[in-house]
Amino acid sequence: MSVQMDAVAVYMRMTTQRRMSTPQRARERIAAPKGSALPPARLRGRHRVERRTEGGFTCYTITPRHRTVERSALYLHGGGYISEIVRQHWALIAQLADAGVRVEVPIYGLAPQHDYREAYDFLTAVYRRAATAPDATPMTILGDSAGGGLALGFTQTLPRRQLPPPARLILIAPWLDLTVANPDAAAIRDPWLSRTGLLAAGTAWAAGDDLADPRLSPINGPLSALPPTDVYIGTRDLFYPDALLLRQRSATVSVTVCQGAIHVYPLVPVPEGRAAAKVIVETVANA
């Protein structure tokens, strides 16, 4: 573990974790105004950015300006289903575009104003358009944290929606079980996530439905027919035990474990994160 990783862990424990550490704080965070989803100016200057609306929600398409598009990606951002896409997500998206990947970025609605049912309908429209376009290229679905859980849950629904599977699935510290019920999670000293905050956010996203529903907790969904799936997880992440469980249940899942790393470490500007992000980009560009 690098000194930088440990420093970020201390910072997250002192700031972000406290915002969701009690039921009252979690309720306040969930009800707080959402941030801006606008792509950063630097990304807009480097690549073509198209904005369109699907079913009342925004989707951005990021297309390389000076590279031939040979691969595509659908990126689902994290944020506990209550927080908007942030600059760390856009940084990875920009790296993908730098490598010649066209990236679809659906800005799905967030709890408590919106819920998972709307997200699945929205993602279906975005994916169908991209996967069946005349210039369609091999597509990877990526997601981090909550977006990782949504990516897996959505992929599990593609057969019954009569849509082709992605070429690959990449999950960065995915939230696979909204109940956070894995007993092994109790031994994890996560400096970022708290079970109290996760349960509050998950309940808001479920909008009255059973948190164990596979569309909410895809660890409970069909896992036998997944495309090649890469999972990136740190050992100081509450979702680490479920990532290992996913590997046990599906022969197509490969898990990269980073000792001492915190939640969504490939998005964190530390040596371990930069190395993982580089591998992710190379994997998508060659999917």
Side-chain angles (χ1 to χ4, degrees):
M1 181 179 63
S2 67
V3 173
Q4 296 95 321
M5 179 72 77
D6 204 34
V8 172
V10 172
Y11 174 80
M12 298 305 293
R13 189 182 300 280
M14 295 176 63
T15 57
T16 303
Q17 189 184 63
R18 292 182 179 180
R19 298 174 193 166
M20 297 283 283
S21 60
T22 69
Q24 178 61 32
R25 288 176 178 173
R27 286 193 293 270
E28 292 173 355
R29 179 74 183 277
I30 292 167
K34 312 304 180 186
S36 170
L38 187 69
R42 184 178 179 185
L43 184 149
R44 299 198 305 270
R46 286 162 60 188
H47 301 295
R48 292 195 299 274
V49 178
E50 300 173 39
R51 181 186 183 276
R52 68 178 187 279
T53 300
E54 299 269 9
F57 296 102
T58 295
C59 181
Y60 291 103
T61 301
I62 314 301
T63 305
R65 265 191 207 281
H66 306 296
R67 293 284 299 267
T68 299
V69 173
E70 297 182 351
R71 297 293 186 270
S72 299
L74 177 72
Y75 190 92
L76 304 179
H77 72 85
Y81 299 121
I82 61 170
S83 297
E84 197 50 270
I85 188 170
V86 296
R87 61 183 177 85
Q88 289 85 356
H89 303 126
W90 287 118
L92 181 56
I93 291 165
Q95 290 180 59
L96 289 166
D98 289 342
V101 179
R102 178 172 53 225
V103 189
E104 303 289 339
V105 188
I107 308 299
Y108 57 89
L110 302 170
Q113 290 83 9
H114 303 282
D115 59 52
Y116 77 98
R117 304 179 197 88
E118 295 169 290
Y120 273 80
D121 289 343
F122 174 40
L123 296 183
T124 299
V126 171
Y127 186 82
R128 177 178 287 115
R129 176 181 176 133
T132 61
D135 61 345
T137 57
M139 176 173 286
T140 298
I141 297 180
L142 304 90
D144 71 275
S145 194
L150 184 57
L152 177 57
F154 175 67
T155 299
Q156 290 171 339
T157 70
L158 292 177
R160 68 172 178 265
R161 298 175 189 272
Q162 299 183 323
L163 288 170
R168 199 167 199 93
L169 186 60
I170 297 180
L171 310 176
I172 301 171
W175 189 5
L176 301 173
D177 180 2
L178 260 61
T179 71
V180 200
N182 193 319
D184 292 339
I188 305 293
R189 295 191 62 192
D190 189 317
W192 186 334
L193 304 175
S194 75
R195 188 169 187 271
T196 296
L198 290 169
L199 286 174
T203 299
W205 180 245
D209 286 355
D210 184 358
L211 296 186
D213 186 300
R215 293 169 296 176
L216 295 163
S217 297
I219 194 70
N220 300 323
L223 300 172
S224 60
L226 294 179
T229 300
D230 302 321
V231 178
Y232 291 81
I233 194 79
T235 56
R236 285 199 285 179
D237 190 325
L238 276 180
F239 301 155
Y240 174 49
D242 281 336
L244 300 183
L245 182 60
L246 179 66
R247 180 173 61 186
Q248 293 174 15
R249 293 182 176 180
S250 177
T252 64
V253 173
S254 173
V255 178
T256 297
V257 177
C258 187
Q259 292 294 324
I262 65 171
H263 185 55
V264 296
Y265 79 91
L267 302 181
V268 180
V270 298
E272 300 91 333
R274 295 188 186 97
K278 181 180 179 181
V279 174
I280 289 170
V281 170
E282 290 174 350
T283 300
V284 177
N286 294 285

